[in-house]
Amino acid sequence: MEPAKEEESSVQDEAVDKSNFKNCNHIAFYRRQKLLLPGKSLYQALLDSVTLCNDSVKLQIINEKNKVPLLVEIYAIDGNIFRLKINEVSPLKSRYEVPDVLIKEPTTQRLSIAQKEAGILVLTCANEDCKIHITANPFQIELESKGETVLSVNTNGLLYFEHLQPPPQNSKTTAQKKEDASIDSSQENQEDLGLWQEEFGSFLDIKANGPSSIGLDFSLHGCEHVYGIPEHAETLLLKNTSDDDAYRLFNLDVYGHKIHDKMGIYGSVPFLLAHKPNRTSGIFWLNSSETLVEINTKAVMEHVPSRSPPDITKQRVVPQTDVRWMSESGIIDVFLLMGPTPFDIFKQYAQLTGTQALPPLFSLGYHQCRWNYEDEQDVKTVDTAFDEHDIPYDVIWLDIEHTEGKRYFTWDKKKFQHPKRMQELLKRKKRKLVVIIDPHIKVDPMYALYSQAKKKGYFVKNRKGQDFEGICWPGSSSYLDFTNPEVREWYADQFAFKSYKGSTDILFVWNDMNEPSVFKGAELTMQRDAVHHGNWEHREVHNLYGFYQQMVTAEGLIKRSGGQKRPFVLTRSFFAGSQKYGAVWTGDNVAEWSYLKISIPMLLTISIAGISFCGADVGGFIGDPEPELLVRWYQAGAYQPFFRGHANIESKRREPWLFGDENTQIIREAIRERYTLLPYLYSLFYRAHTTAEPVMRPLWVEFPKEQETFGVEDEYMLGNALLVHPVIEQEATTVNVLLPGSDEVWYDFRRFRRLDYPGTLKIPVTLESIPVFQRGGSVVPLKTTVGRSTEWMTDISYELRVALDSKDFAVGELYLDDGHSFQYLHKKQFLHRKFTFHKNVFSSSCADEIGQYHTKCVVERVLILGVQKQPTSVTVSLQDKRDGKDKEVVFTYDAKTSMLTLEKLLLNVGADWEIHIK
Ligand code: NOJ
C-alpha cells in the first residue's frame, strides 16, 4: 500500500476564494423567508385546543392563509428556563429533531392556567416568579419575570413554517413549484425559490423533501447588547445585520477566513446571550441545519405587558433588540433562558448541553505543532531543543503527513518507522503526542479501515444510495457516518491499542476537516442531499458532523484506557455541547496583527457559548509572522485556555528559539509564566466543569452593571481574578487598559503595584510586557517555579498571590487531583481548598469535604498585596497542631508596593492552617 502522492490534494488551490461560499442571497430559504415581511403574524392560536399536560402545555396555531395547523408545546424547565417547540400537527413524514445534544430530557415543572379568556392565555409555573402570556390573534408569547417582560416571541410576526408537501408532479415546472409554496404568491417575483432544487455555481442540490424551512423572531426588551452565536471572525458584540448580511451558522472550511465577516466558518453554536445591567437572558435555538440570524437593535417605547393599557405619561424610550432565526429544516425547538445573572445563564445552558470536560492537566501546558514535523528525528530534535532552551512544553503534534498517504490510523513507513519507540522517548520525557485524524477515509480497497467501513455500509450515502465520494487530502474519499450509533461504536474501537498499531497511551487526537471539508463540493463541504443513517439528508445534520466525530473520538480514547483516563481531543468543527468532548481552535488564521486582535473576541464568544477550552493558532497558521508578532502572540496565548503554536506546511519553521536570543528569552518567559499559572488555570477548568463558569470571560460577565465594559473586546478576565490585556498593536509603547468597577482595587500582576484609580489607564509597555492585573479581593494559586512539562511539576511548591480589596479582604481557591484520571469523579480523589484573608488572618480551609487526595506538595510562599503597614509579627498555626505552638514566619515588607512576602512556609497544601499578621 504505497501512498498515492499524485492523487493527493492540497487546500491552497481549492479553498481560498470567498466566491466559493454563499452569501445570504444565494440561499433559497433565506430568500423565501425574506418574502415574509414584519407585521401582523399569519398565525393565530386556537385557544380551544389548549391542553394542560404534566410536563407542558400544548395548543394548536393555524396559518390563516394555508390553514395548516401547527402544534405548539411550552415547557417550564427547572432553573428558570422555558422551552418552546413548534412542529406540524401531522407532518407528511417526521421532521428532524436534534438528538444527542441535550444531556438529558430536561426536568419540567407543571404549568397552570391562570387565565384563559378574551383571546389571552396566561400560564404560571410552580416555583419561579414567571408568567407566560399568550395572545391568540396574532399569535404571540411574552415571558414575564417578576413583573418585567423579558422577551417576547413572534412580535414581528415572522413565525415561518414550511409544511412538508408531496413533490409536485413535474418538479421542473416553476409554476407548479410556486403553487405549492406556503408563502404568499402575490409577493413572488420571478426569482427561483429553490423549493425542490437549488443551484449554486455548478452545484445542484436536490431536495427530496422539498421546502422545509422554519423561522421565528424574538424581542429582547431593554437590551442593546447581544453576544454569542459563534463561530464568526467578528466582534464580541453582535452587530445589527442588514439585508443579505445575516450571521450565518453553517460549518465550513474557510482557509484564511476574512475578518469582520458574518459568514459561517468551522463551528456553530446557536446560542445567543442578551445583557442589560439588571439581567442577562439567552436564546438557544436547537437546530443543526443551516441557520441565519438577523439582529436589529432599536429604540422603542418601553414595553408594557400586553394586557395593561400603557400609561403614556410614564412611558420611556428604551432599547430593544429583535433577533430573527431562520433554519433550512427541522422543527422549531428553542430554549429561553431567563438568567437573571450571567452566571445563571451559563448554568442554565450547561444544564441543557453539559459542562466543559475537565482537561487532563498536560493539555493546559504548551503544545508545539506544525504541518508537519517531518519524521521521528525531527520530533526528537525539536523535543530536545525545548530542553536545551529551557522552555517547558507538554505536547508535540503530528499533522497529516505522518500517515501513509493520508490514511488515518497509519504511519508513514519511511518517516515514522518506529512510532512506539518515538512515543516511549516522549513518555520518558513526560510528554505527549497528538496526531491528526480526519473524518474522510481514502477510497482504497487495500486500506483496512476503508474496506471494513465499506463492507459494513458505514459511509454517508449520496442521494442515489451509493457511498458518497468527495475529494480531500487523500484524493477520493468517503465519509464515515458518525450520526449512526453503530458506526460510532465501531469507530471508538479503532482507538484500542491493538487496533491502532503504533499507538500508545501518550497518544491523543486532533480532529480536523470535520465540517466536513470536501474540496470539490459546493462551498467545500458535503452535498446537502447526501444521506445519513435513518435516511436523514445531510442538510438536517450538517452542523452536527464535527460534534459527533469529536464525541466518538473522546469515547474511543476513554474506552482504550478501560474507562480510566481523561481524553484529549481537539476539534475544528463544533456545535452546542462540544464542550463535553474536549477543546476547539479557531482554524486557519493568518500571521497578521489583525488576526491576533480578532482572536480575542472570537475566543470570548466561543467561551460564553459553553466551550471554555478554546484557542487560536499562536503565530497565525498561514504565512510567516514577524518576530514581534510572534512574541506578542505567545504572550497572548499564554493567558488563553488552549495554547498551541501551529504553522502551515508552507510557512517557515518557527520554533520559539529561531528568532534570536532576545525573542527566545521573551517567548521563554511567556511560556514559563503559563506554567506557573497552571494551578489557577486548572482550578478555573474545574469550575467550568462543575459550575459552567467560562474560563476566559468578557469583562461584562464580571462587571454586569458597568456599562463601559459591555463592548470591551481587547481585554478579558481569566477567571474572576485576572484581567488580561494582551498587546495586539505593532510597536506598542503603551496600552489603554480599562480597570472596571468604582469600588475595585487592582494590582499589576508582575510588579505588584497597586493601581488606585480604576478607569482607563495608559500603561507603558515594552516587548517583555504582558499587561495582566489582579483584582483586589482575590487569591491566585501559582507554582513557585516551572519544570520541563506539567508532569515534572507535580511536587513543585505553591505560591499564593493574595490581593486585598478596599476592605482588606481576599478569597480564592485551588483545585488539585492526579491530573489525568477519572478518580476525581469516581473515587472523589481531589482536593478543593479555599483561601481567605480576613481581619489580618490568612487561612486555608477545605472547600469540599467530599474530596480526599494525598499530596506532599506545600505552599512555600505567600505574597500579600495591599498591606498598609509593616507587621510586627507573623505566625502560623496548624489546625492539626501536634506541638501546640504557633510558629514564627519569616517575612519581608516592601513599603513602596505595600507587599508582604512570607517565605519558607512549607505548609501542606491539603492542610488547614492560619497565618496571623500583627
Ligand atoms: C487544516 C487545519 O486547519 C490545519 O490546522 C492543518 O494543519 C491542515 N488542515 C493540515 O492538516
Side-chain angles (χ1 to χ4, degrees), residues 470-524:
I471 310 289
C472 210
W473 301 127
S476 194
S477 305
S478 283
Y479 290 71
L480 288 167
D481 184 5
F482 298 113
T483 67
N484 180 349
E486 192 183 316
V487 176
R488 295 205 295 271
E489 208 181 319
W490 169 83
Y491 190 75
D493 287 336
Q494 305 307 315
F495 293 94
F497 297 119
K498 66 172 184 349
S499 306
Y500 188 174
K501 302 281 182 254
S503 70
T504 75
D505 63 354
I506 65 144
L507 175 147
F508 296 87
V509 181
W510 170 20
N511 292 154
D512 187 18
M513 312 301 274
N514 51 357
E515 294 70 29
S517 177
V518 179
F519 291 165
K520 293 207 159 59
E523 299 197 88
L524 300 160

Side-chain angles (χ1 to χ4, degrees), residues 94-108:
S94 316
R95 300 179 65 120
Y96 190 71
E97 297 191 32
V98 176
D100 300 313
V101 168
L102 298 181
I103 51 172
K104 58 176 198 291
E105 204 41 53
T107 327
T108 51

Side-chain angles (χ1 to χ4, degrees), residues 11-12 253-255 266 369-372 398-401 406 408 436 438 440 473 510-513 515 517 519 570 572 585-589 617 621 644 646-649:
V11 78
Q12 272 79 5
D253 176 0
V254 191
Y255 178 81
Y266 314 98
C369 188
R370 85 167 267 115
W371 177 14
N372 219 95
L398 294 179
D399 209 319
I400 49 176
E401 314 299 329
K406 320 299 187 291
Y408 307 104
I436 200 164
D438 292 355
H440 51 260
W473 301 127
W510 170 20
N511 292 154
D512 187 18
M513 312 301 274
E515 294 70 29
S517 177
F519 291 165
L570 179 76
R572 192 169 71 174
W585 97 107
T586 60
D588 296 343
N589 57 1
D617 283 346
F621 174 70
R644 180 183 77 157
H646 183 35
N648 197 3
I649 196 162

Side-chain angles (χ1 to χ4, degrees), residues 571-624:
T571 182
R572 192 169 71 174
S573 178
F574 54 86
F575 189 69
S578 290
Q579 66 269 17
K580 298 189 288 285
Y581 308 118
V584 311
W585 97 107
T586 60
D588 296 343
N589 57 1
V590 183
E592 287 171 10
W593 289 90
S594 56
Y595 283 83
L596 168 58
K597 204 179 220 166
I598 202 77
S599 70
I600 302 171
M602 287 180 80
L603 297 177
L604 285 171
T605 302
I606 293 171
S607 299
I608 58 174
I611 306 174
S612 263
F613 203 7
C614 57
D617 283 346
V618 168
F621 174 70
I622 301 165
D624 299 296

